[in-house]
Amino acid sequence: MKITEFVKGFMISVNTGIQHLFRKRMTTMYPETQNYPTLDMYAYDPRKGIAVSGWRGRHYLDMTKCTGCQLCYIACENISEAIEMVPLPETNYPQNKKKIFPAVDYGRCVFCGFCVDACPFYALYMTPVAELSEYDRNDLYYSPYELSKPPAVNPTPRAKEKIDIKRGVYDER
Amino acid sequence: MNTSTNLQGLPGVFEEEVSPEGKLRVSFGPQHPGSGHMRIILTINGDIVEDAIPDVGYVHRGVEKMCEYKTYIQNIPHIERPAIHDSAGTTLPYILATEKLLDLSEKVPERAQYIRMLLAEMNRMINHFYFLGILGIFMGHSTVTTWGMGDRELLIETAAMMTGARVTFSFIVPGGVRTDTPHGFEERLLKSCDYLESRVKTYKDYLLENPFARMRMENVGIIKKEDAIAFGLAGPTLRGSGVKSDVRKDEPYLLYDTVEFDVPSYPEGDAMARTKVHIEEIQQSIAIIRQVVGKMKPGPVKIPLRGQIRGKIGDAYARVEGARGMNSYYIISDGQVYPYRVRVNTADSRNLAIMRRVLQGVRVADVPVVHWSLDYWPVAADR
Amino acid sequence: MKDEDLLRILKDSLSAYSPVKVDKNRIKISLQAETLHDVAEKIFSIGFNYLHTICATDYPDKQEFELNYIVGSMDDDKRNNIIMLVTRIPKSNPSLRTVSDVWKAAKLEEREEFEMLGVNFLGNDELQKLYLPEDWNEIPPLLKEYKLKRWVDEERNRHGLVIEKVEHEH
């Protein structure tokens, strides 16, 4: 490498670095701002055969629609075996004569969403809640009652992301 | 100098040792951040590597065996997990081969094919930014590391908007794709592409012009053109050795014959040439995405498949150009709901074949750069 | 190159082996294991210099291994063509001559098939373990005799549904 080439390349790269001093910070300040790409629920329309795009986080189970047909269990049993059918004798839903509902072990779930695609009764969805960390592994086991709680509305507002060629990608505060 | 492709000669229990001639044998990995989930047994003489035996298999998970015990749909989540940087490029050949077995190849809707192309190109860029990021770590160039990871994040979030997952999309299924593009997706994708195009110039200025980066990457790990073909290398490693080969051009799948793009290739065959190929490919992917978004028309995105999928009796072989090179699947079906045999052939396992030869003669400090520039990702290679 | 043109070339040089077009850009040649090496050299001289993969498959009812050599080309006009060489060898004597002297990439592929199915490639000097752990003492895992512990064939072809017993207390 010639010395002129060296100096020229050095100046170009230093100049590029200096320009970046005037850019906005790219970091998302978690958990003050949470930059979910989408806040929609992942759902599946069995009549059309297509899903509705959304974030594949923890499930939401509609117990008034679940018939206990076990199709979600069958879909999952070779993938991650996270879904178990749990008998709940105390429930009294007319459509669920067998009184069994799915429970999900999030220590195993891979969030592929094929259980939602398997449900023919609009009973299973996936919500944008993905922060599922627990101190105890057993707490990651969600019973049908826990799954049927509607997902908490995200309390922190979604950061407004700006994509700017000059100033970079940053959150508008 | 030993130039065979032999990878063996592995001791059961490895001990560092000094030979009477003063050669030192050291284990590079498997916990070393520069080696990934593998180790390279280096025999070094002073600062020069005389022999380098890759010891692989730390992350072998038996994907081929598992495929025989799962249905065609259930296979999708686990075959994409070995290659998390390129999950679309890894799933796509499996899906194409499955569609051949289901006689669906001609029936997949046009919009679904375009969405598949979008996802594949986004994934190619995600992989290439990751490549640049880790290359930065291996060279001690930490600025490029943070930039690469940051720019990758933009595309990951755009992909997650549509697919619902950040890296393991499970999005391409036999018959089409799982969802249509959500509201505002194309807009954000084009915006990201504009931004990333400006970043490509920054990388060129900062990495390719930088005299110190050039000193690290130029003339190290040279692969000759004949070797690249004979050892069956793939992807940017092949193109960095002067072979202008790309499955998207050679055997166009999806609708790649309707878009215009270049295949970048450099004849030098060193780590710098491979890095240049990666950066140029980001530009070409942006060009493809812009054309595809312009061509997309509203329409169905999936043929609904009812019930259990059964492949017809026979076999199918499909290949695509993944981010790190040619990925191909050979599936034999016996008419059951499970495949009879699935042969997974990833670009990473092909690039492993030349690793011993290419590492011989380089300096110890260059081993990480050469190793990473070969586009070898241990998890995808071990399968 | 179009399939028809390639078939014509192949029929000139390999008239004894009857190449068949099975799919777009896919040509299959079924042959005996003894002639495999000759055919490999011949298609290499035509320009098929880029080995994609070798796939060995176990057929327990026929007591045979099927070997599938999938070969492509890096010549400018043949990049879309793929030739599959298919041969069968008996399981009682699972050995045939290596092709690693024709395609260098074959060495690694053959080694993997040796490890996963026990096919012996004569002439390949590095048929040792690659991916499996050092203390692996069982039969090669891709043989159909080797069952994954839980998913045995009875379960594969079952018709009724089995509900697992639930042990969690909730």
Side-chain angles (χ1 to χ4, degrees):
Chain A
M1 204 185 301
K2 282 184 209 150
I3 186 76
T4 51
E5 214 176 323
F6 185 95
V7 173
K8 191 183 157 213
F10 189 77
M11 296 309 286
I12 289 175
S13 44
V14 168
N15 186 27
T16 317
I18 288 172
Q19 280 173 18
H20 275 73
L21 291 176
F22 307 106
R23 286 186 156 229
K24 289 266 190 179
R25 181 192 285 216
M26 190 185 244
T27 319
T28 303
M29 304 306 282
Y30 183 86
E32 287 83 20
T33 57
Q34 294 178 2
N35 218 354
Y36 277 110
T38 173
L39 284 176
D40 300 332
M41 293 220 281
Y42 177 80
Y44 186 74
D45 191 346
R47 281 204 199 97
K48 288 185 195 154
I50 318 175
V52 183
S53 69
W55 185 257
R56 298 206 303 259
R58 91 142 165 90
H59 296 78
Y60 169 63
L61 172 69
D62 194 343
M63 283 172 91
T64 60
K65 286 181 180 160
C66 178
T67 61
C69 69
Q70 308 173 12
L71 280 176
C72 50
Y73 164 77
I74 293 166
C76 192
E77 68 171 348
N78 257 348
I79 295 175
S80 63
E81 311 189 8
I83 294 183
E84 283 182 338
M85 300 306 289
V86 184
L88 296 175
E90 68 275 17
T91 57
N92 196 12
Y93 292 104
Q95 86 285 1
N96 198 332
K97 293 274 180 333
K98 286 183 264 181
K99 298 186 177 179
I100 50 174
F101 293 91
V104 184
D105 183 357
Y106 285 105
R108 288 177 159 192
C109 182
V110 297
F111 299 97
C112 64
F114 282 118
C115 49
V116 180
D117 289 16
C119 182
F121 301 107
Y122 301 91
L124 207 56
Y125 302 87
M126 286 177 112
T127 64
V129 178
E131 284 117 352
L132 293 167
S133 56
E134 301 282 354
Y135 283 108
D136 187 353
R137 193 180 54 167
N138 293 327
D139 294 344
L140 286 170
Y141 183 88
Y142 277 53
S143 69
Y145 290 126
E146 286 171 277
L147 288 178
S148 61
K149 278 179 206 152
V153 179
N154 204 353
T156 47
R158 191 186 165 196
K160 283 181 191 157
E161 190 183 47
K162 284 267 177 194
I163 303 171
D164 192 318
I165 292 177
K166 287 268 163 56
R167 305 179 76 193
V169 182
Y170 58 96
D171 295 339
E172 204 173 47
R173 295 199 186 86
Chain B
M1 194 178 286
N2 190 347
T3 51
S4 83
T5 57
N6 190 352
L7 307 168
Q8 258 310 335
L10 299 179
V13 179
F14 179 79
E15 284 171 9
E16 294 192 355
E17 62 178 28
V18 186
S19 73
E21 302 94 56
K23 292 174 189 171
L24 179 66
R25 199 169 61 159
V26 288
S27 182
F28 187 84
Q31 280 86 23
H32 191 279
S35 74
H37 320 283
M38 71 175 296
R39 71 169 172 181
I40 310 171
I41 295 168
L42 300 173
T43 308
I44 51 177
N45 189 357
D47 197 18
I48 306 293
V49 176
E50 295 219 327
D51 198 4
I53 303 169
D55 179 14
V56 298
Y58 286 86
V59 274
H60 174 67
R61 53 181 91 184
V63 166
E64 291 179 7
K65 187 71 180 175
M66 279 205 289
C67 282
E68 297 171 10
Y69 287 81
K70 295 169 194 266
T71 64
Y72 286 96
I73 295 283
Q74 285 166 343
N75 273 329
I76 296 170
H78 84 94
I79 57 168
E80 69 184 358
R81 266 161 175 82
I84 52 164
H85 307 134
D86 186 23
S87 56
T90 320
T91 344
L92 196 48
Y94 172 78
I95 302 293
L96 293 180
T98 308
E99 278 173 354
K100 280 185 186 179
L101 288 172
L102 299 171
D103 287 329
L104 279 178
S105 302
E106 307 295 319
K107 297 178 198 155
V108 179
E110 191 188 77
R111 188 176 172 85
Q113 305 214 23
Y114 279 133
I115 293 177
R116 285 178 181 184
M117 279 166 73
L118 280 186
L119 193 64
E121 293 308 318
M122 282 160 73
N123 223 322
R124 191 183 313 281
M125 289 199 278
I126 288 171
N127 176 73
H128 287 359
F129 279 116
Y130 187 85
F131 173 90
L132 292 171
I134 303 292
L135 186 74
I137 292 182
F138 283 8
M139 285 198 306
H141 195 326
S142 55
T143 312
V144 168
T145 308
T146 48
W147 286 4
M149 294 299 168
D151 292 338
R152 175 174 173 263
E153 190 65 23
L154 190 66
L155 280 166
I156 282 184
E157 287 187 356
T158 313
M161 218 173 143
M162 174 166 72
T163 61
R166 283 171 55 88
V167 282
T168 48
F169 303 131
S170 301
F171 188 66
I172 305 171
V173 290
V177 290
R178 280 170 81 175
T179 70
D180 207 340
T181 53
H183 176 69
F185 170 77
E186 284 94 343
E187 196 188 335
R188 190 190 151 125
L189 180 59
L190 290 179
K191 229 180 190 177
S192 319
C193 283
D194 292 344
Y195 173 73
L196 293 172
E197 196 169 38
S198 72
R199 297 294 293 166
V200 168
K201 192 185 172 300
T202 317
Y203 281 106
K204 281 185 174 166
D205 284 352
Y206 205 57
L207 197 62
L208 304 184
E209 297 285 338
N210 190 336
F212 302 107
R214 281 178 61 186
M215 283 174 191
R216 292 299 303 275
M217 291 195 289
E218 277 178 357
N219 294 320
V220 295
I222 295 175
I223 302 174
K224 286 193 218 112
K225 188 177 175 181
E226 309 86 71
D227 281 350
I229 295 172
F231 283 91
L233 305 190
T237 315
L238 184 67
R239 292 192 279 279
S241 298
V243 186
K244 214 172 171 129
S245 162
D246 190 316
V247 184
R248 291 175 291 174
K249 287 272 190 206
D250 298 346
E251 191 189 2
Y253 52 98
L254 299 182
L255 294 170
Y256 274 110
D257 43 355
T258 65
V259 292
E260 285 173 15
F261 61 97
D262 284 340
V263 180
S265 93
Y266 289 88
E268 293 91 1
D270 54 2
M272 191 65 164
R274 298 194 273 275
T275 311
K276 278 182 190 166
V277 170
H278 279 92
I279 294 182
E280 303 256 319
E281 276 190 10
I282 294 172
Q283 264 176 332
Q284 296 304 325
S285 291
I286 291 170
I288 293 174
I289 284 177
R290 282 185 182 143
Q291 291 176 49
V292 168
V293 171
K295 280 170 194 268
M296 270 163 70
K297 293 187 198 87
V301 295
K302 190 181 170 190
I303 316 167
L305 301 172
R306 305 281 172 194
Q308 202 65 278
I309 297 174
R310 278 170 204 272
K312 65 179 179 193
I313 296 173
D315 56 349
Y317 180 70
R319 55 170 176 163
V320 308
E321 184 73 25
R324 288 187 295 276
M326 186 186 77
N327 294 327
S328 60
Y329 276 73
Y330 179 62
I331 304 179
I332 300 176
S333 159
D334 61 346
Q336 293 270 12
V337 295
Y338 305 88
Y340 188 75
R341 169 89 164 94
V342 178
R343 175 81 176 127
V344 189
N345 181 26
T346 54
D348 311 71
S349 67
R350 310 167 65 71
N351 292 341
L352 170 69
I354 206 166
M355 186 167 289
R356 183 177 188 183
R357 174 179 282 214
V358 84
L359 283 179
Q360 283 167 358
V362 305
R363 288 160 69 180
V364 177
D366 290 336
V367 170
V369 176
V370 176
H371 167 270
W372 184 253
S373 74
L374 281 177
D375 255 331
Y376 166 78
W377 176 245
V379 196
D382 287 359
R383 285 157 284 159
Chain C
M1 192 182 277
K2 279 186 183 158
D3 289 329
E4 288 72 30
D5 300 339
L6 182 62
L7 271 175
R8 210 172 299 125
I9 296 173
L10 288 174
K11 272 179 182 147
D12 288 345
S13 56
L14 295 166
S15 50
Y17 302 105
S18 67
V20 196
K21 179 182 172 181
V22 285
D23 196 358
K24 195 191 169 197
N25 292 334
R26 308 277 187 274
I27 286 172
K28 207 176 236 183
I29 305 176
S30 302
L31 36 82
Q32 298 293 317
E34 296 81 44
T35 55
L36 180 86
H37 194 271
D38 297 342
V39 177
E41 276 177 341
K42 264 181 192 147
I43 67 167
F44 182 83
S45 64
I46 294 171
F48 284 83
N49 51 3
Y50 188 76
L51 181 82
H52 287 197
T53 188
I54 298 172
C55 172
T57 314
D58 180 22
Y59 287 96
D61 20 323
K62 291 177 191 158
Q63 285 296 310
E64 276 179 337
F65 284 123
E66 187 187 87
L67 279 110
N68 206 320
Y69 293 70
I70 301 173
V71 192
S73 173
M74 277 295 146
D75 284 6
D76 287 338
D77 56 338
K78 298 193 202 66
R79 291 216 180 142
N80 58 333
N81 297 112
I82 287 168
I83 295 183
M84 301 180 181
L85 305 177
V86 186
T87 184
R88 290 205 174 219
I89 53 172
K91 252 175 120 171
S92 51
N93 179 23
S95 56
L96 77 168
R97 198 176 154 190
T98 176
V99 291
S100 58
D101 48 342
V102 184
W103 301 290
K104 284 179 186 164
K107 224 164 195 179
L108 203 59
E109 300 278 338
E110 285 179 350
R111 186 169 159 190
E112 195 187 338
E113 296 310 299
F114 165 78
E115 176 186 40
M116 295 295 172
L117 285 121
V119 184
N120 191 12
F121 294 92
L122 304 172
N124 189 336
D125 55 353
E126 47 184 84
L127 293 179
Q128 292 164 56
K129 279 199 186 116
L130 180 66
Y131 294 126
L132 293 179
E134 284 91 355
D135 54 353
W136 179 267
N137 294 322
E138 298 182 51
I139 58 171
L142 274 179
L143 292 177
K144 294 283 173 189
E145 289 103 276
Y146 183 82
K147 310 271 190 228
L148 295 190
K149 286 201 172 64
R150 180 161 172 200
W151 304 105
V152 290
D153 271 4
E154 291 77 43
E155 198 159 355
R156 223 182 118 154
N157 297 322
R158 81 207 143 89
H159 299 289
L161 294 169
V162 187
I163 303 178
E164 279 187 27
K165 280 220 163 138
V166 181
E167 284 152 12
H168 292 272
E169 293 170 8
H170 277 276

